[in-house]
C-alpha cells in the first residue's frame, strides 16, 4: 500500500472483505457549496451510502496524508473552512503532501487516491471538463486526463453547462473514456436532465454498469468510466431557464480575468448567488441521487468481483 495513504478502519475492513465502498470528494464540500449546507450534505451522503449497505470513504488531504475516510469533525473542518482550504487537483497533490498541508480533493485527485486504495466507485455532483473558449484559454480540467489514468467509475449528474459539453464529450472520446447514460440516451447537464448531446452508450441497471467496469479493466484497458445520472425530475431546472444565468456568469469571469483553478469555483459561486436557494437545492438533490446510485453500483461490482 502507498505509504502516504491513511485509511480508516471502517474502510480498510470493508475493502479487505470485498465489501462495497463508495468514494466521495472534498472539493465539493470546501469549494462547491456554502456552509452549513455543505456539512449537512457531507453527512447525508455518507448516511445514504451506509443505509444502502455500502461503506462511504470521503477523501481529502490532512497534514499531508492522503486520507480515505474522514471523521465527522474532519468533515466539519472542510465545511467550515471552505475556500480557505487549498483546492487540490493532481498537479497540486505533491506540494500539499510535501508541505504537510490540508487539501480538498477534486474529482481528479479523488479518483487517483481512490484507485490507490483500490476503491473503484466514486459518486459526486458534477465533473470538470472542457471550458467554453478552451481553444483560446486551454482550460481543460485535469479531471479529463484523470479519466484516462485511474480505474474508477464516477457517478455524476453530467457536467454543468458552464463547460462546453460537446468538447467535453469529444475529449472523453479521445481519452478512451466510456460515457454511460444511466437510464438515459442524453448526456445530462447537471441542473437539467438533458443537454441535447447523445451519450455513446447506455446502462439501465447497476449490474450493467458493474459488467462494463469488469469488462473494461479485465481486458486491460486503463482509466475511468463516466456514469451520467440525470438529476431527479422533481428537482430539475430546465436548460432554457439556467442558460442565461450561465452566460452571465461566464461573461463575468472573463471580465474579472478569473483564470486557472479559480474559474470553476467562481462560476459555481456566481450561479448559486444568482439563482438563490434554487440551484443549491437542485445540487443537493442530484448529489444524493448520485451517491444512492453509486452505492448500488458498488454493491453490484462487489458481487460481480466475488464470483
Ligand atoms: N463541477 C461542479 N461542482 C463541483 C466541481 C465541478 O458542478 O464541485 C468541482 C469538482 O471537484 C471538480 C472540480 O473536480 O470542481 C473541477 O475544477 P477544475 O475545473 O478547476 O479542474
Ligand atoms: Mn481549469
Amino acid at each position: 500500500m502507498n505509504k502516504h495513504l491513511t485509511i480508516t478502519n471502517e474502510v480498510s475492513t470493508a475493502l479487505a472483505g470485498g465489501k462495497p465502498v463508495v468514494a466521495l470528494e472534498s472539493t465539493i464540500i470546501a469549494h462547491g457549496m456554502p456552509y452549513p449546507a455543505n456539512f449537512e450534505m457531507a453527512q447525508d451522503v455518507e448516511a445514504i451510502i451506509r443505509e444502502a449497505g455500502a461503506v462511504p470513504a470521503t477523501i481529502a488531504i490532512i497534514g499531508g496524508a492522503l486520507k480515505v475516510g474522514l471523521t465527522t469533525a474532519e468533515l466539519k473542518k472542510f465545511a467550515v473552512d471552505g475556500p480557505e482550504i487549498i483546492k487540490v487537483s493532481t498537479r497540486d497533490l505533491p506540494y500539499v503532501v510535501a508541505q504537510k498541508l490540508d487539501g480538498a480533493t477534486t474529482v481528479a485527485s479523488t479518483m487517483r487516491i481512490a484507485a490507490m486504495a483500490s476503491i473503484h466507485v466514486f459518486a459526486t455532483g458534477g465533473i470538470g471538463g472542457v471550458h467554453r473558449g478552451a481553444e483560446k484559454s486551454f482550460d481543460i480540467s485535469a479531471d479529463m486526463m484523470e479519466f484516462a489514468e485511474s480505474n474508477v467509475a464516477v457517478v455524476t449528474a453530467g457536467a454543468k453547462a458552464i463547460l462546453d459539453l460537446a468538447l467535453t464529450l469529444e475529449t472523453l472520446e479521445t481519452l478512451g473514456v466510456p460515457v454511460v447514460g444511466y437510464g438515459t440516451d442524453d448526456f445530462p447537464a447537471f441542473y437539467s436532465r438533458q443537454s441535447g448531446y447523445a451519450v455513446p452508450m447506455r446502462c439501465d441497471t447497476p449490474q450493467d454498469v458493474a459488467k462494463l467496469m469488469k469488462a473494461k479493466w479485465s481486458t486491460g484497458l486503463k482509466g475511468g468510466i463516466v456514469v451520467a445520472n440525470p438529476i431527479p425530475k422533481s428537482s430539475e431546472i430546465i436548460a432554457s431557464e439556467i442558460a442565461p444565468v450561465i452566460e452571465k456568469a461566464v461573461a463575468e469571469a472573463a471580465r474579472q480575468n478569473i483564470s486557472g483553478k479559480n474559474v470553476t469555483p467562481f462560476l459555481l459561486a456566481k450561479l448559486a448567488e444568482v439563482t438563490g436557494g434554487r440551484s443549491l437545492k437542485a445540487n443537493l438533490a442530484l448529489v444524493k441521487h448520485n451517491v444512492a446510485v453509486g452505492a448500488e453500483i458498488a454493491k453490484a461490482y462487489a458481487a460481480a468481483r466475488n464470483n
Side-chain angles (χ1 to χ4, degrees):
M1 204 183 77
N2 191 290
K3 69 171 185 176
H4 296 288
L5 281 176
T6 303
I7 308 182
T8 58
N9 280 335
E10 184 191 19
V11 174
S12 62
T13 304
L15 289 170
K19 301 264 161 54
V21 177
V22 180
L24 300 161
E25 61 155 309
S26 42
T27 289
I28 191 178
I29 305 173
H31 297 268
M33 290 179 192
Y35 181 81
N38 57 355
F39 182 43
E40 280 161 32
M41 179 278 299
Q43 293 173 287
D44 288 350
V45 293
E46 292 209 346
I48 291 167
I49 292 167
R50 287 203 178 88
E51 272 158 37
V55 172
T58 302
I59 290 176
I61 305 176
I62 299 181
L66 310 180
K67 297 273 254 178
V68 179
L70 299 189
T71 63
T72 304
E74 288 167 340
L75 290 177
K76 184 160 188 186
K77 182 187 163 42
F78 278 78
V80 171
D81 292 354
E84 279 172 31
I85 296 178
I86 303 174
K87 173 183 161 190
V88 179
S89 194
T90 40
R91 172 195 65 182
D92 313 291
L93 196 147
Y95 178 77
V96 171
V97 168
Q99 296 292 323
K100 300 194 183 333
L101 300 172
D102 297 340
T105 52
T106 63
V107 168
S109 54
T110 303
M111 285 177 77
R112 184 69 67 104
I113 296 167
M116 281 182 194
S118 301
I119 300 172
H120 297 288
V121 179
F122 162 23
T124 186
I127 56 170
V130 182
H131 280 263
R132 297 180 185 194
E135 66 276 12
K136 282 228 173 86
S137 68
F138 271 46
D139 190 352
I140 301 174
S141 174
D143 293 356
M144 295 286 96
M145 313 311 151
E146 199 56 33
F147 272 101
E149 199 63 43
S150 289
N151 296 1
V152 180
V154 181
V155 186
T156 167
K160 278 204 178 90
I162 57 173
L163 304 174
D164 186 316
L165 298 182
L167 296 190
T168 299
L169 288 167
E170 288 293 347
T171 300
L172 288 165
E173 182 196 354
T174 302
L175 295 171
V177 181
V179 177
V180 178
Y182 191 73
T184 182
D185 295 312
D186 195 288
F187 187 62
F190 199 81
Y191 297 121
S192 325
R193 290 175 58 81
Q194 300 196 326
S195 65
Y197 298 102
V199 285
M201 63 200 84
R202 168 179 179 150
C203 289
D204 288 337
T205 65
Q207 288 74 23
D208 265 359
V209 177
K211 275 194 245 171
L212 176 70
M213 293 163 68
K214 248 185 113 174
K216 172 156 183 168
W217 300 323
S218 66
T219 52
L221 288 167
K222 189 176 75 158
I225 296 170
V226 175
V227 180
N229 181 38
I231 182 172
K233 213 175 178 61
S234 54
S235 304
E236 177 178 37
I237 306 176
I238 53 165
S240 59
E241 214 176 309
I242 197 80
V245 179
I246 289 171
E247 295 293 342
K248 269 193 211 135
V250 170
E252 185 63 25
R255 209 164 22 242
Q256 293 191 33
N257 284 319
I258 307 291
S259 66
K261 72 181 192 179
N262 297 326
V263 172
T264 297
F266 178 88
L267 293 173
L268 298 182
K270 265 276 167 274
L271 293 193
E273 184 190 308
V274 176
T275 63
R278 190 142 172 243
S279 72
L280 182 59
K281 240 179 105 186
N283 204 342
L284 292 169
L286 69 85
V287 172
K288 288 178 191 175
H289 188 216
N290 290 343
V291 301
V293 167
E296 296 311 315
I297 292 170
K299 287 196 285 182
Y301 186 65
R305 268 182 115 180
N306 293 340
N307 62 41

